[in-house]
Amino acid sequence: MSKNDKPKPKPHYAPALQRGLHEVSHQVEAMHRAIAGKTFGALKQVPVVAQPAALIESIHDAVSTGIHAAVRLGNRGLLNLAGRAESALASDAPPGRRESGVRAAINGVFGDHVAANGEALATPMQFFERGKTAPVAIEHLKLRHHRVCIFLHGLACDEHCWTPDDESDQPDYGARVLADFGYTPLYLRYNTGLPIADNAAAFAEQMESLVAARPDIEEFLLIGHSMGGLVARSAFWQAAGAEWLTRVRMLICLGSPQLGSPLERLGMITNRVLDSFDVTAPIGAIARRRSAGIRDLHDGIGSDEGQDPPDIELRFLGATIAEDSDSTLGKLVGDGLVTPDSALAERTRANVARAQLGGLGHMAMLHDARVWQQIRTWIGEGYVPAA
């Protein structure tokens, strides 16, 4: 084995969980101290019990410190054992759908932290073919008509989210774009906990490498769900003038929070409230540990941050859980995570078309007959069949 062929470290959940539990334990201890401090502080203001209260407080602090230290020690020992067992069971085989989903969720919430720690658990950005567990070998990719459709998943998901269950009659968009239009589907997997701008830069590099390896690809269609649409659009802004951009025909965004998500804004407000009180500040510290990717959803990518390429067709699809998408409830709640004004980004200056559906939730947009019909309509407009 050469120096360049060193085996890659295997992802382990135990070390990441150990660090997380260690931090949570410290924050719980801080909250415990804050609550006890207020109680003992009040007692020490009473002359008769001031001295006994101070003595009891010192004993309490010593005991509670010991208890929390013992809990952390116990967690460390237990998770060290789990780590050794995990290493013993580790395999060189690619992770299956279930394990990949667990990693995607962890990366969505803490992806920037696991990446900063250099853990193998951090998800690298890679392309996959439909139903395959190993990354695609681009040079061997079979193309039907020199056209490729790339699917970009949303927060805390991976490429499997685009594939409906085998027993389901829901539409598989990847299979449909291949059958109806001859686009070979490729699925991007990436660490959704990283900043959107970082993922966009990495995606632009991946696209440039893809074009260099396969110059026979004549046209790209991009379909992004939620955060995936933001990553693609941000990549356009960062890669102005790049060769791969000249081959992108259209970007379809499904429920992408172009102008931000109200849930993350609520999260920021909640954080400020928690930080305002000694007792709840430790909870606020835990909440602030959510990933940069999640925090980026506070504002989305806005409408004035960059310039959308005028030759690329942008198609924004929004949804509301209310049957009447124009109702007050529909406008206020949207698809449960993204409101229509954000998904449709009315202020965007570009080659844009928009559509909105009622009675549809955020995740349901991944496998819905009406969504596919709208995608199909957009692709079909101006579509030139291969010779």
Side-chain angles (χ1 to χ4, degrees), residues 130 151 162-164 170-177 187 366-367 372:
R130 183 181 180 278
F151 291 87
W162 294 103
T163 307
Q170 297 170 321
D172 182 326
Y173 305 157
R176 294 289 180 87
V177 295
Y187 301 84
L366 289 163
H367 311 290
W372 165 246

Side-chain angles (χ1 to χ4, degrees), residues 175-198:
R176 294 289 180 87
V177 295
L178 177 61
D180 292 4
F181 299 100
Y183 286 94
T184 298
L186 275 184
Y187 301 84
L188 186 74
R189 178 193 293 179
Y190 65 102
N191 181 347
T192 57
L194 295 177
I196 289 174
D198 290 2

Side-chain angles (χ1 to χ4, degrees), residues 164-170:
D165 295 333
D166 293 337
E167 64 275 9
S168 171
D169 60 355
Q170 297 170 321

Side-chain angles (χ1 to χ4, degrees), residues 313-317 344 350-355 374 378 381:
E313 302 168 47
L314 298 183
R315 300 294 180 258
F316 295 160
L317 182 62
L344 302 179
N351 180 358
V352 184
R354 301 173 176 87
Q374 183 59 64
W378 278 333
E381 295 169 350

